[in-house]
Amino acid sequence: MRTTTLASVLLGAVISMALAAPQNAATHSSAAAQTAATPDSAEVIAATPTSASAEDVATQTSPAQSTVTELTDKKKKDIVKVAYGQQIQEEDQTNHWVIWIEGKSACPPLATLSSLIEDPCGQKFSLPGSDQLEFAGCDDDGEPHVLLSAGKFVRTCKSYKTNANIHCPGKDHDVVKHGKCVEQ
């Protein structure tokens, strides 16, 4: 009985605030209004999963673009499929993010980004036939989830659960493949 009374009081307060200041009512989040409406809704809201599409992730992680739009299907197909991983670089003996065309040799990689301690998102690179590429949507491990071209969504990226070692002949260090961006 007490919970019902508390819920009624809270609901009345929300309605009163909305009627008293309609311009402020628009700024209240729907989550706050739902929490005030029912006593258990805070638990429901907290338990509701929030999933974002690859396009949403690209929009959130590309600050240079206010919105990320998709390329046409033809233009997407023209952009090469990308593989990414790590390789020790001779100049500093440090693992760096490396990139090559999926299905082609990773040795030597076609692009080298920052050291592995930094995530590769937001770092621009080019591959033959594809300019202005960059990763977006990096997770806590630095693995990218989206490939952009000129700030527009091109493909989703998938990282492997177990990284694959690619032997490079000669003096080059082996490449450890982390994943690929091939799905549109």
Side-chain angles (χ1 to χ4, degrees):
M1 184 76 174
R2 182 176 176 168
T3 303
T4 304
T5 305
L6 178 60
S8 299
V9 170
L10 289 173
L11 182 57
V14 169
I15 292 171
S16 297
M17 289 185 335
L19 293 174
Q23 69 276 12
N24 291 339
T27 62
H28 291 294
S29 70
S30 61
Q34 290 174 359
T35 301
T38 59
D40 296 328
S41 63
E43 295 170 12
V44 172
I45 293 168
T48 303
T50 57
S51 61
S53 68
E55 291 84 7
D56 293 338
V57 170
T59 302
Q60 294 168 2
T61 57
S62 184
Q65 297 288 329
S66 59
T67 60
V68 175
T69 58
E70 287 195 48
L71 297 173
T72 64
D73 286 339
K74 181 179 180 342
K75 287 183 181 179
K76 280 184 186 179
K77 289 178 184 175
D78 291 341
I79 295 174
V80 297
K81 295 179 178 178
V82 173
Y84 60 93
Q86 70 186 61
Q87 182 186 43
I88 295 175
Q89 300 300 300
E90 281 299 318
E91 63 271 3
D92 63 3
Q93 291 299 305
T94 302
N95 270 311
H96 284 254
W97 290 100
V98 292
I99 303 159
W100 63 97
I101 297 172
E102 175 63 20
K104 305 282 185 184
S105 176
C107 307
L110 297 175
T112 303
L113 302 179
S114 66
S115 70
L116 204 61
I117 60 172
E118 298 176 35
D119 69 46
C121 287
Q123 298 182 47
K124 302 223 184 312
F125 61 93
S126 295
L127 296 175
S130 300
D131 294 329
Q132 301 181 29
L133 298 174
E134 68 180 291
F135 293 120
C138 285
D139 60 24
D140 291 340
D141 295 325
E143 298 290 333
H145 291 276
V146 175
L147 178 67
L148 304 176
S149 176
K152 296 179 181 179
F153 174 80
V154 179
R155 302 185 184 345
T156 56
C157 303
K158 304 278 184 190
S159 58
Y160 298 120
K161 293 184 189 304
T162 305
N163 296 333
N165 191 54
I166 300 169
H167 176 70
C168 292
K171 295 172 66 176
D172 285 339
H173 290 276
D174 289 353
V175 170
V176 178
K177 185 174 184 179
H178 285 231
K180 60 186 177 181
C181 307
V182 296
E183 297 176 20
Q184 295 183 13

